Amino acid sequence: MGNCGSTQAAAIAAHEDPDKFTRSKQLDHELVQQSKQDEEKIKLLLLGAGESGKSTIFKQMKIIFGSQYTEMERRHYTSTIYSNILQGMRVLVEQTSVFGLQEQVAAKDAFDMFKRIDDSEAINNRIGEAIKTLWSDPVIQSVWARRAEYQIFESLSFYMKKMDIIKSSEYVPDKEDIIYSRVRTTGIVTERYTIEGNIFEMYDVGGQRNERKKWIHCFEGVTAVIFVAALSEYDQNMFEDPTKNRMVEALELFDGICNNVYFLESSMILFLNKKDLFAEKIKTKHIKDTAAFADYTGREGDFEAGVQYFLDKFMSKNKSPNHHIYHHITCATDTKNVQVVFNACKDIVLRQNIEGSGFAIE
């Protein structure tokens, strides 16, 4: 009876207002299609502690799979890059004084300039030359070499190599400059990509402790979690808690994520990131010299042994033998490396996607 009544009502509506009826049917069809797309889309959640490099991976995804940055978008990053550089130089100046080395600085004019410079200044030729002079000072280089003892962005050294370009009045950031730029993620940032007819969404959320309460809003229906941890930060402390080792924090956070009931049906993918910085650091900073990792028994300066040691630390956090954790060793600033790794992750997601939705990427 109910179906008969509905059919009669639809016939009457179609007769009385055919245009309205057609629009209604079209809307119903679109809603069904949208619902189907939502069910089939692949939802990727990027998680990790602050400064792990996950936002850099997020930017790489736009470069690899999204639309290219327009010139306007690239110009938008100019002030961020200026600010990153000026903040970094000011930190070096401040830390030089903390270490009691200020009287040994030869580039005194440049040193004094960065005591009072504003982060919002544009880097013109005068400021750029002062940056180059100060950066080349042996005392400043010795302070930079001790950067694990304080908080500063690693990308500063990248920008120093390009200072002649950056200080030009014609400067427009290229995609590599954008990748190295640093803005702390707050809230939830989402990108949607259509790759060969398949839709996936990637979510980047702030890694600092005060941002993590927002993560819960992303947990529902996650196809895969990509957890990012920085290999190179085994001897560094956190921005928000100078008493807490960054790697220890990442291990504790991973413990909570990989054993979370929300993710028992989701693929779990571990990115041990910043392999390039790790390879350089272990040449001079031995892993076992950090109290939290005094149980390291591998050879000093051995990249493979060091990676395996930290990988074992992360894998040991998994309390469910049926929940397989896939892992990759990454360099988030290397676009080719990220693309190769993500192609491998795509295959993992395909195998684990119980809905059988497509995710084909060449």
Side-chain angles (χ1 to χ4, degrees), residues 71-172:
E71 182 169 340
M72 184 176 294
E73 286 175 320
R74 288 163 52 209
R75 288 184 182 279
H76 177 74
Y77 277 93
T78 305
S79 59
T80 298
I81 292 167
Y82 287 164
S83 180
N84 285 173
I85 295 168
L86 295 176
Q87 285 176 20
M89 297 308 294
R90 193 179 68 247
V91 169
L92 285 174
V93 165
E94 292 171 353
Q95 206 59 42
T96 300
S97 297
V98 169
F99 291 155
L101 301 172
Q102 65 273 23
E103 296 304 320
Q104 300 177 36
V105 175
K108 294 193 181 299
D109 289 344
F111 186 83
D112 290 339
M113 173 190 290
F114 289 103
K115 285 181 180 178
R116 58 181 185 273
I117 200 162
D118 193 286
D119 294 346
S120 62
E121 291 236 29
I123 296 179
N124 54 24
N125 187 68
R126 179 181 66 86
I127 294 174
E129 286 299 318
I131 290 170
K132 289 170 61 179
T133 300
L134 188 59
W135 178 254
S136 63
D137 190 288
V139 174
I140 296 300
Q141 282 299 301
S142 71
V143 173
W144 173 252
R146 296 173 62 180
R147 59 192 176 278
E149 300 174 38
Y150 55 94
Q151 308 295 343
I152 192 168
F153 296 139
E154 290 279 356
S155 56
L156 184 62
S157 60
F158 166 80
Y159 291 125
M160 291 302 102
K161 297 171 186 174
K162 299 188 66 174
M163 189 49 59
D164 283 333
I165 296 172
I166 292 171
K167 70 187 179 70
S168 166
S169 60
E170 305 298 318
Y171 173 63
V172 179

Side-chain angles (χ1 to χ4, degrees), residues 31-81:
L31 289 172
V32 169
Q33 290 298 109
Q34 182 62 52
S35 178
K36 184 180 179 181
Q37 283 185 355
D38 287 341
E39 288 177 2
E40 292 179 349
K41 76 183 178 186
I42 291 174
K43 185 175 179 182
L44 302 178
L45 184 57
L46 269 174
L47 297 179
E51 315 310 318
S52 61
K54 61 185 181 55
S55 294
T56 304
I57 290 170
F58 192 79
K59 284 186 282 190
Q60 289 280 25
M61 297 305 293
K62 176 177 173 64
I63 289 170
I64 297 168
F65 299 114
S67 58
Q68 295 300 304
Y69 288 102
T70 65
E71 182 169 340
M72 184 176 294
E73 286 175 320
R74 288 163 52 209
R75 288 184 182 279
H76 177 74
Y77 277 93
T78 305
S79 59
T80 298
I81 292 167

Side-chain angles (χ1 to χ4, degrees), residues 47-316:
L47 297 179
E51 315 310 318
S52 61
K54 61 185 181 55
S55 294
T56 304
I57 290 170
F58 192 79
K59 284 186 282 190
Q60 289 280 25
M61 297 305 293
K62 176 177 173 64
I63 289 170
I64 297 168
F65 299 114
S67 58
Q68 295 300 304
Y69 288 102
T70 65
E71 182 169 340
M72 184 176 294
E73 286 175 320
R74 288 163 52 209
R75 288 184 182 279
H76 177 74
Y77 277 93
T78 305
S79 59
T80 298
I81 292 167
Y82 287 164
S83 180
N84 285 173
I85 295 168
L86 295 176
Q87 285 176 20
M89 297 308 294
R90 193 179 68 247
V91 169
L92 285 174
V93 165
E94 292 171 353
Q95 206 59 42
T96 300
S97 297
V98 169
F99 291 155
L101 301 172
Q102 65 273 23
E103 296 304 320
Q104 300 177 36
V105 175
K108 294 193 181 299
D109 289 344
F111 186 83
D112 290 339
M113 173 190 290
F114 289 103
K115 285 181 180 178
R116 58 181 185 273
I117 200 162
D118 193 286
D119 294 346
S120 62
E121 291 236 29
I123 296 179
N124 54 24
N125 187 68
R126 179 181 66 86
I127 294 174
E129 286 299 318
I131 290 170
K132 289 170 61 179
T133 300
L134 188 59
W135 178 254
S136 63
D137 190 288
V139 174
I140 296 300
Q141 282 299 301
S142 71
V143 173
W144 173 252
R146 296 173 62 180
R147 59 192 176 278
E149 300 174 38
Y150 55 94
Q151 308 295 343
I152 192 168
F153 296 139
E154 290 279 356
S155 56
L156 184 62
S157 60
F158 166 80
Y159 291 125
M160 291 302 102
K161 297 171 186 174
K162 299 188 66 174
M163 189 49 59
D164 283 333
I165 296 172
I166 292 171
K167 70 187 179 70
S168 166
S169 60
E170 305 298 318
Y171 173 63
V172 179
D174 60 24
K175 67 180 182 181
E176 196 173 21
D177 297 342
I178 292 170
I179 288 168
Y180 277 90
S181 67
R182 186 69 184 95
V183 178
R184 286 208 182 99
T185 306
T186 58
I188 302 166
V189 184
T190 309
E191 285 281 358
R192 173 179 282 216
Y193 304 110
T194 300
I195 303 173
E196 296 189 1
N198 303 298
I199 297 172
F200 74 88
E201 287 182 345
M202 178 169 279
Y203 297 80
D204 181 23
V205 292
Q208 280 72 28
R209 285 176 174 175
N210 64 336
E211 291 291 324
R212 294 175 195 168
K213 61 183 178 292
K214 303 172 186 176
W215 290 8
I216 192 71
H217 301 297
C218 299
F219 284 4
E220 187 178 358
V222 170
T223 310
V225 175
I226 299 176
F227 187 93
V228 186
L231 279 168
S232 62
E233 296 183 349
Y234 61 88
D235 65 334
Q236 294 175 250
N237 290 343
M238 299 169 61
F239 270 98
E240 59 265 52
D241 182 358
T243 67
K244 187 67 176 284
N245 178 278
R246 291 189 187 184
M247 183 66 83
V248 170
E249 175 81 358
L251 285 162
E252 292 174 357
L253 185 57
F254 184 71
D255 188 347
I257 295 298
C258 74
N259 298 303
N260 192 300
V261 293
Y262 280 97
F263 301 135
L264 292 181
E265 300 298 327
S266 304
S267 298
M268 187 65 58
I269 305 169
L270 172 66
F271 282 7
L272 292 181
N273 191 37
K274 301 189 180 182
K275 65 177 183 179
D276 53 332
L277 299 179
F278 177 72
E280 285 300 311
K281 180 175 284 188
I282 59 173
K283 294 175 183 177
T284 56
K285 181 66 176 180
H286 304 317
I287 294 170
K288 65 182 179 182
D289 289 347
T290 300
F293 308 115
D295 62 339
Y296 174 72
T297 58
R299 194 174 59 188
E300 294 179 353
D302 188 325
F303 176 83
E304 298 297 336
V307 168
Q308 190 62 51
Y309 170 77
F310 287 114
L311 177 60
D312 291 343
K313 290 279 188 187
F314 279 95
M315 291 302 192
S316 70

